[in-house]
Amino acid sequence: MGRHFGRDKEQRTALFRGLAISLILHERVTTTEAKAKSVRPIVEKLVTMSREDTEHHRRLVMARLGDENATRKLFEVIGPRYDGQPGGYTRILKVGVRRGDAAPISLIEFV
């Protein structure tokens, strides 16, 4: 069923969209382990779509991200980098725990 993060559907969608955009633009993001594990399949599917640069795929990615700069970088930089690789575009590294509430913190980045 997936993680809910104490948010309703629209808030969760916005959270994952923001994380995916940040990961694409900066190529690495530090977040909680649960959020990193949840955003990973979303980003990997976007990278798979971006490997084939067609108008249809661009519109699908733009509909999911809603950010023109992230879409452009995905198709011009990140997609061609993984051309021919069948998957596994990201890695999650455990960094430690957050000081305030001891939540496990992880770094998600492109391989």
PDB file of all heavy atoms in Angstrom, residues 17-40:
ATOM      1  N   ARG A  17       7.060  14.892  -5.987  1.00  0.00           N
ATOM      2  CA  ARG A  17       7.406  15.715  -7.143  1.00  0.00           C
ATOM      3  C   ARG A  17       8.570  16.648  -6.801  1.00  0.00           C
ATOM      4  O   ARG A  17       9.523  16.764  -7.556  1.00  0.00           O
ATOM      5  CB  ARG A  17       6.185  16.514  -7.588  1.00  0.00           C
ATOM      6  CG  ARG A  17       6.438  17.390  -8.787  1.00  0.00           C
ATOM      7  CD  ARG A  17       5.161  18.054  -9.238  1.00  0.00           C
ATOM      8  NE  ARG A  17       4.299  17.058  -9.858  1.00  0.00           N
ATOM      9  CZ  ARG A  17       2.995  17.187  -9.987  1.00  0.00           C
ATOM     10  NH1 ARG A  17       2.376  18.260  -9.534  1.00  0.00           N
ATOM     11  NH2 ARG A  17       2.292  16.236 -10.580  1.00  0.00           N
ATOM     12  N   GLY A  18       8.505  17.273  -5.633  1.00  0.00           N
ATOM     13  CA  GLY A  18       9.584  18.165  -5.214  1.00  0.00           C
ATOM     14  C   GLY A  18      10.901  17.424  -5.011  1.00  0.00           C
ATOM     15  O   GLY A  18      11.969  17.906  -5.407  1.00  0.00           O
ATOM     16  N   LEU A  19      10.840  16.247  -4.396  1.00  0.00           N
ATOM     17  CA  LEU A  19      12.050  15.441  -4.204  1.00  0.00           C
ATOM     18  C   LEU A  19      12.638  14.993  -5.540  1.00  0.00           C
ATOM     19  O   LEU A  19      13.857  15.031  -5.737  1.00  0.00           O
ATOM     20  CB  LEU A  19      11.745  14.216  -3.342  1.00  0.00           C
ATOM     21  CG  LEU A  19      11.838  14.385  -1.834  1.00  0.00           C
ATOM     22  CD1 LEU A  19      11.346  13.145  -1.122  1.00  0.00           C
ATOM     23  CD2 LEU A  19      13.239  14.712  -1.408  1.00  0.00           C
ATOM     24  N   ALA A  20      11.772  14.572  -6.456  1.00  0.00           N
ATOM     25  CA  ALA A  20      12.245  14.117  -7.767  1.00  0.00           C
ATOM     26  C   ALA A  20      12.899  15.270  -8.531  1.00  0.00           C
ATOM     27  O   ALA A  20      13.964  15.103  -9.133  1.00  0.00           O
ATOM     28  CB  ALA A  20      11.094  13.535  -8.572  1.00  0.00           C
ATOM     29  N   ILE A  21      12.296  16.452  -8.503  1.00  0.00           N
ATOM     30  CA  ILE A  21      12.865  17.619  -9.190  1.00  0.00           C
ATOM     31  C   ILE A  21      14.212  17.976  -8.582  1.00  0.00           C
ATOM     32  O   ILE A  21      15.188  18.217  -9.302  1.00  0.00           O
ATOM     33  CB  ILE A  21      11.887  18.803  -9.132  1.00  0.00           C
ATOM     34  CG1 ILE A  21      10.671  18.530 -10.012  1.00  0.00           C
ATOM     35  CG2 ILE A  21      12.568  20.094  -9.562  1.00  0.00           C
ATOM     36  CD1 ILE A  21       9.544  19.527  -9.838  1.00  0.00           C
ATOM     37  N   SER A  22      14.307  17.995  -7.255  1.00  0.00           N
ATOM     38  CA  SER A  22      15.574  18.314  -6.595  1.00  0.00           C
ATOM     39  C   SER A  22      16.647  17.294  -6.938  1.00  0.00           C
ATOM     40  O   SER A  22      17.802  17.652  -7.183  1.00  0.00           O
ATOM     41  CB  SER A  22      15.390  18.363  -5.082  1.00  0.00           C
ATOM     42  OG  SER A  22      14.561  19.429  -4.719  1.00  0.00           O
ATOM     43  N   LEU A  23      16.283  16.017  -6.964  1.00  0.00           N
ATOM     44  CA  LEU A  23      17.246  14.973  -7.285  1.00  0.00           C
ATOM     45  C   LEU A  23      17.741  15.110  -8.721  1.00  0.00           C
ATOM     46  O   LEU A  23      18.937  14.977  -8.984  1.00  0.00           O
ATOM     47  CB  LEU A  23      16.628  13.589  -7.068  1.00  0.00           C
ATOM     48  CG  LEU A  23      17.512  12.391  -7.372  1.00  0.00           C
ATOM     49  CD1 LEU A  23      18.777  12.428  -6.517  1.00  0.00           C
ATOM     50  CD2 LEU A  23      16.750  11.103  -7.114  1.00  0.00           C
ATOM     51  N   ILE A  24      16.849  15.433  -9.634  1.00  0.00           N
ATOM     52  CA  ILE A  24      17.250  15.581 -11.032  1.00  0.00           C
ATOM     53  C   ILE A  24      18.142  16.809 -11.217  1.00  0.00           C
ATOM     54  O   ILE A  24      19.172  16.745 -11.885  1.00  0.00           O
ATOM     55  CB  ILE A  24      16.002  15.651 -11.938  1.00  0.00           C
ATOM     56  CG1 ILE A  24      15.317  14.286 -11.976  1.00  0.00           C
ATOM     57  CG2 ILE A  24      16.376  16.094 -13.341  1.00  0.00           C
ATOM     58  CD1 ILE A  24      13.921  14.316 -12.538  1.00  0.00           C
ATOM     59  N   LEU A  25      17.784  17.923 -10.595  1.00  0.00           N
ATOM     60  CA  LEU A  25      18.549  19.155 -10.790  1.00  0.00           C
ATOM     61  C   LEU A  25      19.899  19.112 -10.078  1.00  0.00           C
ATOM     62  O   LEU A  25      20.899  19.588 -10.608  1.00  0.00           O
ATOM     63  CB  LEU A  25      17.743  20.362 -10.312  1.00  0.00           C
ATOM     64  CG  LEU A  25      16.516  20.707 -11.145  1.00  0.00           C
ATOM     65  CD1 LEU A  25      15.777  21.893 -10.519  1.00  0.00           C
ATOM     66  CD2 LEU A  25      16.897  21.020 -12.578  1.00  0.00           C
ATOM     67  N   HIS A  26      19.942  18.557  -8.865  1.00  0.00           N
ATOM     68  CA  HIS A  26      21.179  18.565  -8.073  1.00  0.00           C
ATOM     69  C   HIS A  26      21.928  17.241  -8.110  1.00  0.00           C
ATOM     70  O   HIS A  26      23.063  17.173  -7.627  1.00  0.00           O
ATOM     71  CB  HIS A  26      20.865  18.949  -6.632  1.00  0.00           C
ATOM     72  CG  HIS A  26      20.167  20.263  -6.510  1.00  0.00           C
ATOM     73  ND1 HIS A  26      20.769  21.453  -6.812  1.00  0.00           N
ATOM     74  CD2 HIS A  26      18.904  20.569  -6.148  1.00  0.00           C
ATOM     75  CE1 HIS A  26      19.915  22.444  -6.618  1.00  0.00           C
ATOM     76  NE2 HIS A  26      18.767  21.931  -6.223  1.00  0.00           N
ATOM     77  N   GLU A  27      21.303  16.204  -8.599  1.00  0.00           N
ATOM     78  CA  GLU A  27      21.854  14.852  -8.754  1.00  0.00           C
ATOM     79  C   GLU A  27      22.163  14.142  -7.450  1.00  0.00           C
ATOM     80  O   GLU A  27      22.696  13.048  -7.449  1.00  0.00           O
ATOM     81  CB  GLU A  27      23.072  14.853  -9.684  1.00  0.00           C
ATOM     82  CG  GLU A  27      22.714  15.344 -11.067  1.00  0.00           C
ATOM     83  CD  GLU A  27      23.739  14.969 -12.111  1.00  0.00           C
ATOM     84  OE1 GLU A  27      24.578  14.108 -11.835  1.00  0.00           O
ATOM     85  OE2 GLU A  27      23.663  15.545 -13.205  1.00  0.00           O
ATOM     86  N   ARG A  28      21.846  14.751  -6.323  1.00  0.00           N
ATOM     87  CA  ARG A  28      21.922  14.090  -5.022  1.00  0.00           C
ATOM     88  C   ARG A  28      21.115  14.890  -4.013  1.00  0.00           C
ATOM     89  O   ARG A  28      21.106  16.106  -4.052  1.00  0.00           O
ATOM     90  CB  ARG A  28      23.358  13.902  -4.527  1.00  0.00           C
ATOM     91  CG  ARG A  28      24.118  15.165  -4.315  1.00  0.00           C
ATOM     92  CD  ARG A  28      25.479  14.996  -3.690  1.00  0.00           C
ATOM     93  NE  ARG A  28      26.120  13.778  -4.063  1.00  0.00           N
ATOM     94  CZ  ARG A  28      27.231  13.307  -3.488  1.00  0.00           C
ATOM     95  NH1 ARG A  28      27.798  13.991  -2.537  1.00  0.00           N
ATOM     96  NH2 ARG A  28      27.765  12.177  -3.878  1.00  0.00           N
ATOM     97  N   VAL A  29      20.413  14.169  -3.136  1.00  0.00           N
ATOM     98  CA  VAL A  29      19.554  14.802  -2.145  1.00  0.00           C
ATOM     99  C   VAL A  29      19.703  14.042  -0.836  1.00  0.00           C
ATOM    100  O   VAL A  29      19.737  12.811  -0.825  1.00  0.00           O
ATOM    101  CB  VAL A  29      18.072  14.778  -2.597  1.00  0.00           C
ATOM    102  CG1 VAL A  29      17.162  15.294  -1.507  1.00  0.00           C
ATOM    103  CG2 VAL A  29      17.875  15.584  -3.852  1.00  0.00           C
ATOM    104  N   THR A  30      19.783  14.770   0.258  1.00  0.00           N
ATOM    105  CA  THR A  30      19.792  14.169   1.584  1.00  0.00           C
ATOM    106  C   THR A  30      18.397  14.288   2.166  1.00  0.00           C
ATOM    107  O   THR A  30      17.856  15.390   2.267  1.00  0.00           O
ATOM    108  CB  THR A  30      20.800  14.880   2.496  1.00  0.00           C
ATOM    109  OG1 THR A  30      22.088  14.839   1.879  1.00  0.00           O
ATOM    110  CG2 THR A  30      20.872  14.210   3.849  1.00  0.00           C
ATOM    111  N   THR A  31      17.808  13.153   2.537  1.00  0.00           N
ATOM    112  CA  THR A  31      16.447  13.125   3.064  1.00  0.00           C
ATOM    113  C   THR A  31      16.324  11.927   3.991  1.00  0.00           C
ATOM    114  O   THR A  31      17.301  11.214   4.218  1.00  0.00           O
ATOM    115  CB  THR A  31      15.422  13.070   1.904  1.00  0.00           C
ATOM    116  OG1 THR A  31      14.110  13.136   2.447  1.00  0.00           O
ATOM    117  CG2 THR A  31      15.583  11.832   1.075  1.00  0.00           C
ATOM    118  N   THR A  32      15.135  11.698   4.524  1.00  0.00           N
ATOM    119  CA  THR A  32      14.963  10.531   5.393  1.00  0.00           C
ATOM    120  C   THR A  32      15.011   9.259   4.549  1.00  0.00           C
ATOM    121  O   THR A  32      14.743   9.278   3.348  1.00  0.00           O
ATOM    122  CB  THR A  32      13.621  10.594   6.151  1.00  0.00           C
ATOM    123  OG1 THR A  32      12.558  10.562   5.215  1.00  0.00           O
ATOM    124  CG2 THR A  32      13.527  11.823   7.016  1.00  0.00           C
ATOM    125  N   GLU A  33      15.348   8.191   5.196  1.00  0.00           N
ATOM    126  CA  GLU A  33      15.486   6.913   4.493  1.00  0.00           C
ATOM    127  C   GLU A  33      14.172   6.483   3.846  1.00  0.00           C
ATOM    128  O   GLU A  33      14.145   6.002   2.711  1.00  0.00           O
ATOM    129  CB  GLU A  33      15.965   5.841   5.475  1.00  0.00           C
ATOM    130  CG  GLU A  33      16.243   4.511   4.862  1.00  0.00           C
ATOM    131  CD  GLU A  33      16.747   3.503   5.873  1.00  0.00           C
ATOM    132  OE1 GLU A  33      17.180   3.908   6.968  1.00  0.00           O
ATOM    133  OE2 GLU A  33      16.706   2.302   5.558  1.00  0.00           O
ATOM    134  N   ALA A  34      13.054   6.676   4.545  1.00  0.00           N
ATOM    135  CA  ALA A  34      11.754   6.271   4.012  1.00  0.00           C
ATOM    136  C   ALA A  34      11.398   7.077   2.766  1.00  0.00           C
ATOM    137  O   ALA A  34      10.898   6.530   1.773  1.00  0.00           O
ATOM    138  CB  ALA A  34      10.673   6.447   5.072  1.00  0.00           C
ATOM    139  N   LYS A  35      11.654   8.382   2.785  1.00  0.00           N
ATOM    140  CA  LYS A  35      11.353   9.215   1.617  1.00  0.00           C
ATOM    141  C   LYS A  35      12.259   8.852   0.446  1.00  0.00           C
ATOM    142  O   LYS A  35      11.818   8.832  -0.706  1.00  0.00           O
ATOM    143  CB  LYS A  35      11.493  10.695   1.955  1.00  0.00           C
ATOM    144  CG  LYS A  35      10.392  11.213   2.846  1.00  0.00           C
ATOM    145  CD  LYS A  35      10.622  12.665   3.206  1.00  0.00           C
ATOM    146  CE  LYS A  35       9.613  13.123   4.225  1.00  0.00           C
ATOM    147  NZ  LYS A  35       9.933  14.460   4.739  1.00  0.00           N
ATOM    148  N   ALA A  36      13.523   8.560   0.722  1.00  0.00           N
ATOM    149  CA  ALA A  36      14.445   8.166  -0.342  1.00  0.00           C
ATOM    150  C   ALA A  36      13.991   6.869  -0.992  1.00  0.00           C
ATOM    151  O   ALA A  36      14.001   6.728  -2.216  1.00  0.00           O
ATOM    152  CB  ALA A  36      15.864   8.016   0.212  1.00  0.00           C
ATOM    153  N   LYS A  37      13.556   5.904  -0.180  1.00  0.00           N
ATOM    154  CA  LYS A  37      13.095   4.627  -0.720  1.00  0.00           C
ATOM    155  C   LYS A  37      11.798   4.784  -1.503  1.00  0.00           C
ATOM    156  O   LYS A  37      11.541   4.027  -2.436  1.00  0.00           O
ATOM    157  CB  LYS A  37      12.895   3.612   0.416  1.00  0.00           C
ATOM    158  CG  LYS A  37      14.191   3.084   0.981  1.00  0.00           C
ATOM    159  CD  LYS A  37      13.915   2.079   2.076  1.00  0.00           C
ATOM    160  CE  LYS A  37      15.205   1.483   2.601  1.00  0.00           C
ATOM    161  NZ  LYS A  37      14.960   0.485   3.664  1.00  0.00           N
ATOM    162  N   SER A  38      10.985   5.759  -1.144  1.00  0.00           N
ATOM    163  CA  SER A  38       9.723   5.967  -1.839  1.00  0.00           C
ATOM    164  C   SER A  38       9.893   6.723  -3.150  1.00  0.00           C
ATOM    165  O   SER A  38       9.152   6.487  -4.103  1.00  0.00           O
ATOM    166  CB  SER A  38       8.743   6.738  -0.939  1.00  0.00           C
ATOM    167  OG  SER A  38       8.392   5.966   0.177  1.00  0.00           O
ATOM    168  N   VAL A  39      10.857   7.642  -3.208  1.00  0.00           N
ATOM    169  CA  VAL A  39      11.033   8.450  -4.428  1.00  0.00           C
ATOM    170  C   VAL A  39      11.890   7.724  -5.461  1.00  0.00           C
ATOM    171  O   VAL A  39      11.835   8.032  -6.647  1.00  0.00           O
ATOM    172  CB  VAL A  39      11.604   9.842  -4.087  1.00  0.00           C
ATOM    173  CG1 VAL A  39      13.107   9.800  -3.871  1.00  0.00           C
ATOM    174  CG2 VAL A  39      11.263  10.847  -5.161  1.00  0.00           C
ATOM    175  N   ARG A  40      12.634   6.729  -5.044  1.00  0.00           N
ATOM    176  CA  ARG A  40      13.523   6.010  -5.957  1.00  0.00           C
ATOM    177  C   ARG A  40      12.814   5.404  -7.171  1.00  0.00           C
ATOM    178  O   ARG A  40      13.235   5.648  -8.302  1.00  0.00           O
ATOM    179  CB  ARG A  40      14.279   4.932  -5.190  1.00  0.00           C
ATOM    180  CG  ARG A  40      15.200   4.106  -6.037  1.00  0.00           C
ATOM    181  CD  ARG A  40      15.806   2.982  -5.234  1.00  0.00           C
ATOM    182  NE  ARG A  40      17.192   2.794  -5.606  1.00  0.00           N
ATOM    183  CZ  ARG A  40      18.045   2.047  -4.944  1.00  0.00           C
ATOM    184  NH1 ARG A  40      17.668   1.444  -3.843  1.00  0.00           N
ATOM    185  NH2 ARG A  40      19.275   1.908  -5.347  1.00  0.00           N
TER     186      ARG A  40
END
